[in-house]
Amino acid sequence: MQQIDLYGVFLPTLLVAALMAYAMFLALRNGLARIGAYRFIWHRPLFDVALYGVLLGLIGYVLKWLLY
């Protein structure tokens, strides 16, 4: 597993991916709430966890493709 060097501080790749996914998740959640998409979703917390998981997996895949 590769680590990311940020000015001499080594960060685990999973931490960087999780922070990026969380930032994207907050933006998507606010966008979905603004357009009223949550009216059609049965269980909002479950949907939010699944959305975060999908974003984390997507970012992990992209980082793996870029770093290796």
Side-chain angles (χ1 to χ4, degrees):
M1 170 139 324
Q2 187 171 356
Q3 295 180 348
I4 297 174
D5 182 14
L6 184 66
Y7 299 110
V9 177
F10 290 104
L11 299 173
T13 307
L14 183 59
L15 175 65
V16 174
L19 292 175
M20 290 171 56
Y22 188 66
M24 289 177 63
F25 166 73
L26 289 178
L28 277 173
R29 186 178 68 173
N30 289 337
L32 289 172
R34 189 171 301 218
I35 65 171
Y38 279 117
R39 290 181 293 154
F40 303 109
I41 295 171
W42 171 67
H43 199 281
R44 184 176 175 168
L46 183 62
F47 178 80
D48 286 344
V49 169
L51 179 63
Y52 179 75
V54 167
L55 289 173
L56 183 59
L58 179 66
I59 290 173
Y61 179 75
V62 169
L63 282 177
K64 182 178 178 184
W65 183 73
L66 288 175
L67 296 176
Y68 295 109

